[in-house]
Every structure is written in C-alpha cells, then in structure tokens.
Amino acid sequence: MPHVTADDGAQIFYKDWGSGGTPVLLSHGWPLNADAWEAAALFLAEHGHRAIAHDRRGHGRSSQTWNGNEMDTYADDLACLIEHLDLTDLTLVGHSTAGGEIAHYVGRHGSARVAKLVLVSAVPPLMLEASDNPGGLPLAVFDGIRAGEASDRSQLYRDLADGPFFGHNRNTDISQGVRDAFWLQSMACGHRAAYECIAAFSATDFRPDLASIDVPTLVIHGDDDQIVPFQVGGARSAELIEGATLLVYENGAHGLPDTDRDRLHADLLAFIDS
C-alpha cells in the first residue's frame, strides 16, 4: 500500500486512482478515513480525473502518532503528500473536519498548486462559541463528545451513525451497511488521535485561512446538518470566502457523501470541469 513519509517520520497512507486528467484530492471527516470518499473517487476517476484520498495521521492505515494530532500538522502532512505526488492544477475537496484541513493548508502553504476548493459540510470558520464567535456551539457539546470517546467510543460511533451524522433520527433512508461502514472506519482510528482531533476540528479558528483563499471555492452544506449546523458552517464560510459559490441541500444531513451521493458527485464534477 502506498505511503508518504511526513516530516516527523509518520507514514501517511493514500489511494491514487485513475490516470491522466486533472487531479482531485478528497479529504475525509473525523474519525473516518479515505474509504469515506471511495464512491466519489471511483466516480471521478471513471469520469477522467485522477482521484487521490489519504488517511489523516492517526486515522485508518496511517501512523498512530502520539503528537501532531492538530491542524498545523494535518495541513503540513497534506502539503507533504501534494509535493510527493507533484500535484498541480489541483482541486481540494474536504468533508467536515477536512474542510478545515484544506483551508488551513492554503493558509499555511498558499494556493500555488491549487486550482479550486470544495468545502462539504465543513467545520470552518469556527465551531466553538467564543466572545468574538457568539453563534458557535457551547464547549459542553464538544466535552460531551470527548466524554463519549473516552468512556465507550464504540457506542459513541454507533450512536452518531444511527442518529445525527446521516440524519437517521430524521427518518433519512440510509442503509445499515453505510452505518456499519461508519463504525468500522471509526474504530480504525487511534484512540488518542480521535480524542485530540475533537479539539482540532472544534476550536481551530479558520477565519484567517478563509480570508487567504484566492481560488474559486464551492461551499456545499445541508440545511438540516446536526453535526455542523448550516448557520455555524456553510452559511458563514460562504460569506467569508471572497467569491464563493454556496449550494444548500434542502433537508441535507451531515454525511452528504452518502446521503446525497449522486447529487454531490454531479455537483463536484460540474464544478471541477467548469
């Protein structure tokens, strides 16, 4: 299996599908891995693009490092992969936590290799409530997730998959198989990595990163997202990214790559090819 070695020696796993075409790098949400994007990667590769997806450090088949489970290192690992594959004219697609990861990559490393960005159900600009972010979510929300991670993470992941992640608690038609895949991928994440990543996705302030984005950006968000509420995430990010295009999925849940697969694939392909 292909890996790239990060600056601190961590091994970062990646998939590289398709041949020719412009490259698309798909980055996954917490606490999943590259498999969360496999349907989109197959679709894009079959439509002439090179589709790449990696497991963030601590997740899936990448090294479970004790240190580096925060956004600066996630962005630097992404830069390492992009430079290793010498990707240019690249479209970066990030779901949930990875929306922050790709925005932070642009903030730290610039957009010289990037043609476009897509934020899907993404955590920017800042999830955590603060004096200068009164619309954010209370710290107690994330402390609750951390408590579940620490006490019984297997049940936490089942509760997320059976409830708010896919909107299954809203009678969304999502199969047992998809919910089982969420649990399986989540259990492959290192315990410390998953615990530390909760702070990374909730408390990192991405507003300076969004201000630095200077490439065409598509923001996609469901208006019934129970993990990253629309008004906390997509609506505000679209306001802060100059020239961004916002697509709102009516009654859309957080797990759009599965719940709205066909529509999302079509929207990604149209934007990438535009």
Side-chain angles (χ1 to χ4, degrees), residues 25 27-28 54-57 71 73-75 77-78 92 94 96-106 123-124 206:
L25 196 155
S27 189
H28 62 84
H54 73 301
D55 291 355
R56 187 176 303 116
R57 71 167 53 211
M71 279 294 165
T73 304
Y74 295 161
D77 289 347
L78 189 60
L92 284 170
S96 191
T97 295
E101 180 183 32
I102 65 173
H104 206 50
Y105 164 81
V106 172
V123 298
F206 299 103

Side-chain angles (χ1 to χ4, degrees), residues 125-137 202 207 232 236:
L126 173 59
M127 287 194 74
L128 184 64
E129 183 181 50
S131 59
D132 65 345
N133 190 45
L137 299 174
S202 64
R207 287 174 290 189
V232 173
R236 295 185 62 221

Side-chain angles (χ1 to χ4, degrees), residues 4-25:
V4 61
T5 303
D7 292 343
D8 65 354
Q11 296 291 298
I12 306 299
F13 168 83
Y14 66 94
K15 301 178 182 182
D16 189 352
W17 292 358
S19 59
T22 54
V24 183
L25 196 155

Side-chain angles (χ1 to χ4, degrees), residues 63-160:
S63 298
Q64 294 189 11
T65 59
W66 186 256
N67 297 313
N69 301 295
E70 31 70 31
M71 279 294 165
D72 284 356
T73 304
Y74 295 161
D76 293 349
D77 289 347
L78 189 60
C80 185
L81 174 61
I82 291 170
E83 291 166 12
H84 172 72
L85 297 176
D86 194 21
L87 301 175
T88 57
D89 196 23
L90 172 66
T91 297
L92 284 170
V93 182
H95 175 239
S96 191
T97 295
E101 180 183 32
I102 65 173
H104 206 50
Y105 164 81
V106 172
R108 284 175 68 81
H109 298 277
S111 59
R113 292 179 176 270
V114 180
K116 299 174 182 175
L117 289 180
V118 185
L119 307 182
V120 181
S121 311
V123 298
L126 173 59
M127 287 194 74
L128 184 64
E129 183 181 50
S131 59
D132 65 345
N133 190 45
L137 299 174
L139 178 61
V141 171
F142 305 107
D143 284 345
I145 300 172
R146 269 187 285 267
E149 173 70 32
S151 63
D152 187 349
R153 71 188 189 116
S154 178
Q155 189 59 51
L156 171 68
Y157 302 149
R158 290 203 182 281
D159 291 344
L160 288 171

Side-chain angles (χ1 to χ4, degrees), residues 217-228:
T217 301
L218 175 64
V219 178
I220 300 175
H221 216 108
D223 65 4
D224 194 30
D225 189 329
Q226 300 171 71
I227 302 293
V228 182

Side-chain angles (χ1 to χ4, degrees), residues 32 176-186:
L32 305 173
Q176 184 67 54
V178 168
R179 287 179 278 140
D180 288 349
F182 178 97
W183 177 86
L184 183 64
Q185 289 177 43
S186 300

